[in-house]
Amino acid sequence: MLHNPKLDKPATKWWHAATGYQIYPRSFCDSNGDGVGDIPGIISKLDHLKDLGIGFIWLSPVYASPMADNGYDISDYRAIAPEFGTLDDFDRLVAEAKARGIGIVMDLVVNHSSSAHAWFQAARASREVAEHDYYVWRDPARDGGPPSDLKACFGGSAWTFVPEVGQYYLGYFSPEQPDLNWRNPALRREIYNMMNWWFDRGIAGFRMDVISLIGKDVDAGVFEEGPYLHEYLQEMHRETLAGRDIVTVGESWSVSRDTALLFCGRDRAELDMVFQFNHIVEGWDPLHGKWKPKPFDLVRFKRVLDAWQATLADDGWNSLFLSNHDLPRQVSKYADDGTYRVQSAKMLATVVHLMKGTPFIYQGEEIGMTNAAFTRIDQFRDVETLGNYADAIAQGITPDEFIAGANANGRDNARTPMQWSGGGQAGFTDGTPWIEVNPNHSEINVKADRADPDGVFAHYRRLVELRREHPVIVHGRYVPFAEDDPAVFAYAREMDGTKLAVIANFTGAEVEFEVPEAQSGRGTCLLANYAARDSLDGTLSLAPYEAVAVLMAGS
Ligand code: GLC
Ligand code: CA
């Protein structure tokens, strides 16, 4: 390998030591009683986030949208959805957040637009207008049917016929989300102009929705990480990102350790980080995917996360997360949302936040919110769940079986309203929420958790603070140990003679853990979810979901 002097010293950026917080605006806080969260609601809760200590908010889409996919279907990239507020509200959010040291990272959804976007309305009316080529059209097959049997992610065919133009368009996710044709340079120009327009309003970056799809070669059937992807990301960087002190995170369901550095290698001039899902998909059935989860296997889970730490050890940067608006609540999925909810929520946070990378907290995670459980299909709202329900029933799956799968791995169960208090509708709204509030808000809510010095919030706040205080957490080398232990997640972080050891029991049973010779020693306990430990030596008897982080002495 050629020596690259740029990689010798890690350039420190503000987001290396910062923690991100994802807001799903529909479910965060409703200021006007219409049952839908909104931007004034977010502004009213900024002090909660300031207390948590986060550096930036990843705001899921707030743009104008028919909300077929809750905003991941944008009809006007330069307007705010009326139910979320106005551009003035947005500008106020940026200013109020900035006054609290918090940046606003917007969601950039440009693999597709909404079918209600003016571009698509023009495109579907005539082949002669410039906008027609902003989308992906193909002639019907010989029998008049769709050009291929490609299925849409949210159910049904990925192709929809438009009689006015006699062609099918591609909707990789759903017919309401027609794919934009990135092969068209004028379309790319429109997108870069729009990105710069938001940067000029003072945003701190973009989270880029399914960005690995934009370089697709439709005719070759290559969608993920297609042949044009990196050319476009480099062009985007030149035209919009270069020279700005912002952060970018690209979402990719396909990115692997082999391709990660193509996105976020420091000399690539593309993105700062990727949201990769290898550790998530590890828990799914290879054939039936997320609707059929496999039993959790800690050794395999560790192997994936350890390997990503190794891949991005010296170049690129990891994003750290277990939950988001597309995934189950982490305490329900990976730990115990019953007896040991508080301890196990803290344990998961400890393991994730002390790795190398930028951690992301999904709203409500900081108080240990759990997955909602629904019993009837009419309680679900998500286009993915409802679309797949129709397909599943047609294939002979019973409604009860489907609902069990949806409760475990569907997206709605983590999208129920933020639980601010034990009162009516959890303090989220004065009206009727767009999706039911989890009944456990009487017990699990911000007010109660924050009043408890041993609450989940206090633990998260400490983790966020530790990252800002200890360079070893930001830049230290990640060294896993006890990799084959089926119950314990353990690693050290090392830098300039400083060492931080993290040991966590991933089970609800007490376990005996033999500290390896090389990791033994005494130090200062930075964080624990049971009694503090300052000695890591010999055999430790770890309580259920116990997690401890010790800064080793003499190091
Ligand atoms: C991303 C979003 C998800 C959305 C999909 C299509 O995966 O996170 O919520 O449905 O892209 O935009
Ligand atoms: Ca509202």
Side-chain angles (χ1 to χ4, degrees):
M1 221 164 83
L2 281 178
H3 178 70
N4 184 347
K6 270 201 280 180
L7 302 184
D8 285 352
K9 273 248 170 304
T12 299
K13 304 272 194 179
W14 61 269
W15 43 266
H16 284 144
T19 299
Y21 184 95
Q22 183 191 358
I23 289 184
Y24 196 65
R26 214 176 176 72
S27 301
F28 192 64
C29 180
D30 173 23
S31 70
N32 62 353
D34 66 357
V36 174
D38 46 54
I39 294 173
I42 297 173
I43 295 172
S44 75
K45 298 296 186 186
L46 284 174
D47 284 333
H48 170 70
L49 302 179
K50 183 181 179 222
D51 291 348
L52 185 53
I54 56 142
F56 63 98
I57 291 168
W58 153 26
L59 188 62
S60 274
V62 291
Y63 311 82
S65 163
M67 303 286 166
D69 187 13
N70 290 353
Y72 285 93
D73 50 320
I74 296 170
S75 53
D76 184 346
Y77 288 98
R78 298 184 193 215
I80 299 293
E83 63 237 85
F84 291 153
T86 62
L87 259 182
D88 279 349
D89 292 330
F90 181 83
D91 290 343
R92 205 153 51 82
L93 172 63
V94 170
E96 293 274 351
K98 192 168 181 196
R100 292 167 177 82
I102 297 171
I104 300 292
V105 171
M106 284 195 97
D107 214 315
L108 184 75
V109 189
V110 289
N111 172 67
H112 45 268
S113 73
S114 162
S115 53
H117 195 290
W119 294 338
F120 188 75
Q121 290 304 310
R124 63 165 299 143
S126 159
R127 291 197 198 194
E128 306 309 318
V129 297
E131 290 87 346
H132 187 74
D133 192 49
Y134 283 14
Y135 294 88
V136 180
W137 300 93
R138 291 293 180 270
D139 291 335
R142 260 198 224 132
D143 65 357
S148 78
D149 57 9
L150 185 71
K151 293 275 166 269
C153 296
F154 299 156
S157 171
W159 296 102
T160 304
F161 188 66
V162 176
E164 288 87 338
V165 291
Q167 289 175 306
Y168 283 84
Y169 69 87
L170 175 68
Y172 187 80
F173 286 92
S174 76
E176 289 77 34
Q177 294 162 295
D179 282 61
L180 288 165
N181 176 23
W182 275 74
R183 303 285 289 137
N184 182 306
L187 180 267
R188 299 204 300 277
R189 187 73 257 160
E190 294 267 16
I191 290 171
Y192 304 149
N193 289 346
M194 175 272 286
M195 290 172 69
N196 285 328
W197 186 83
W198 285 106
F199 280 129
D200 292 344
R201 299 196 100 83
I203 66 168
F206 281 114
R207 174 267 187 186
M208 302 185 183
D209 192 64
V210 290
I211 201 68
S212 49
L213 286 170
I214 65 171
K216 61 180 81 78
D217 180 340
V218 176
D219 298 317
V222 179
F223 289 85
E224 286 286 4
E225 296 174 86
Y228 313 106
L229 171 62
H230 295 288
E231 172 189 328
Y232 297 156
L233 285 177
Q234 281 168 15
E235 180 183 74
M236 176 193 282
H237 190 277
R238 280 195 307 276
E239 299 296 327
T240 75
L241 312 174
R244 298 186 191 271
D245 190 17
I246 47 118
V247 65
T248 52
V249 195
E251 185 206 26
S252 173
W253 283 83
S254 66
V255 64
S256 65
R257 289 193 293 121
D258 295 334
T259 56
L261 284 168
L262 296 176
F263 292 83
C264 66
R266 236 173 282 141
D267 55 0
R268 293 282 296 174
E270 294 190 18
L271 304 177
D272 294 321
M273 299 175 246
V274 285
F275 279 137
Q276 64 83 17
F277 295 88
N278 294 188
H279 59 300
I280 305 284
V281 173
E282 168 58 37
W284 296 357
D285 184 89
L287 208 64
H288 303 281
K290 66 189 263 180
W291 306 107
K292 201 169 170 210
K294 290 193 293 198
F296 181 67
D297 180 337
L298 180 67
V299 172
R300 298 179 65 130
F301 182 74
K302 286 192 287 188
R303 207 166 282 156
V304 176
L305 289 173
D306 291 349
W308 272 86
Q309 289 285 313
T311 299
L312 302 183
D314 301 317
D315 190 13
W317 192 254
N318 267 294
S319 67
L320 308 170
F321 70 97
L322 295 178
S323 298
N324 67 28
H325 68 296
D326 294 329
L327 301 172
R329 292 256 170 213
Q330 63 195 48
V331 70
S332 302
K333 172 79 184 168
Y334 300 97
D336 177 8
D337 61 8
T339 315
Y340 294 113
R341 182 184 66 84
V342 170
Q343 292 90 335
S344 70
K346 293 178 183 176
M347 181 281 288
L348 291 175
T350 306
V351 168
V352 170
H353 282 242
L354 296 180
M355 287 186 176
K356 185 170 180 180
T358 297
F360 286 79
I361 301 168
Y362 175 56
Q363 65 182 42
E365 186 192 316
E366 77 277 24
I367 57 160
M369 271 178 63
T370 67
N371 246 12
F374 296 126
T375 53
R376 304 181 319 268
I377 193 68
D378 66 78
Q379 291 174 293
F380 290 87
R381 298 285 177 271
D382 183 16
V383 57
E384 180 188 55
T385 306
L386 301 177
N388 280 290
Y389 180 71
D391 284 1
I393 297 299
Q395 284 161 27
I397 293 173
T398 71
D400 282 352
E401 278 171 338
F402 184 86
I403 288 170
N407 276 335
N409 252 339
R411 309 194 297 180
D412 275 332
N413 308 68
R415 293 179 178 179
T416 58
M418 181 73 183
Q419 295 166 202
W420 295 104
S421 75
Q425 309 300 358
F428 162 72
T429 180
D430 293 333
T432 306
W434 69 277
I435 189 169
E436 287 174 30
V437 165
N438 192 325
N440 69 15
H441 69 271
S442 51
E443 185 207 335
I444 304 169
N445 61 71
V446 171
K447 201 161 167 234
D449 189 83
R450 288 196 56 168
D452 180 355
D454 287 326
V456 180
F457 182 88
H459 193 89
Y460 269 87
R461 174 158 56 190
R462 183 79 182 122
L463 280 165
V464 174
E465 181 180 61
L466 285 172
R467 170 167 292 273
R468 288 199 313 258
E469 283 172 359
H470 294 272
V472 67
I473 297 174
V474 182
H475 293 295
R477 233 161 61 79
Y478 176 91
V479 185
F481 58 94
E483 288 104 310
D484 293 325
D485 191 307
V488 175
F489 203 135
Y491 59 84
R493 302 291 308 282
E494 299 174 356
M495 192 174 89
D496 300 338
T498 301
K499 176 160 142 185
L500 175 72
V502 178
I503 297 179
N505 177 2
F506 248 79
T507 76
E510 195 170 291
V511 303
E512 307 278 285
F513 180 71
E514 196 71 44
V515 182
E517 195 57 42
Q519 311 297 340
S520 300
R522 296 184 69 81
T524 318
C525 192
L526 291 187
L527 194 70
N529 58 353
Y530 285 82
R533 289 177 187 271
D534 49 20
S535 166
L536 300 180
D537 213 355
T539 305
L540 306 181
S541 190
L542 298 172
Y545 298 106
E546 179 170 355
V548 66
V550 181
L551 196 62
M552 303 305 266
S555 57

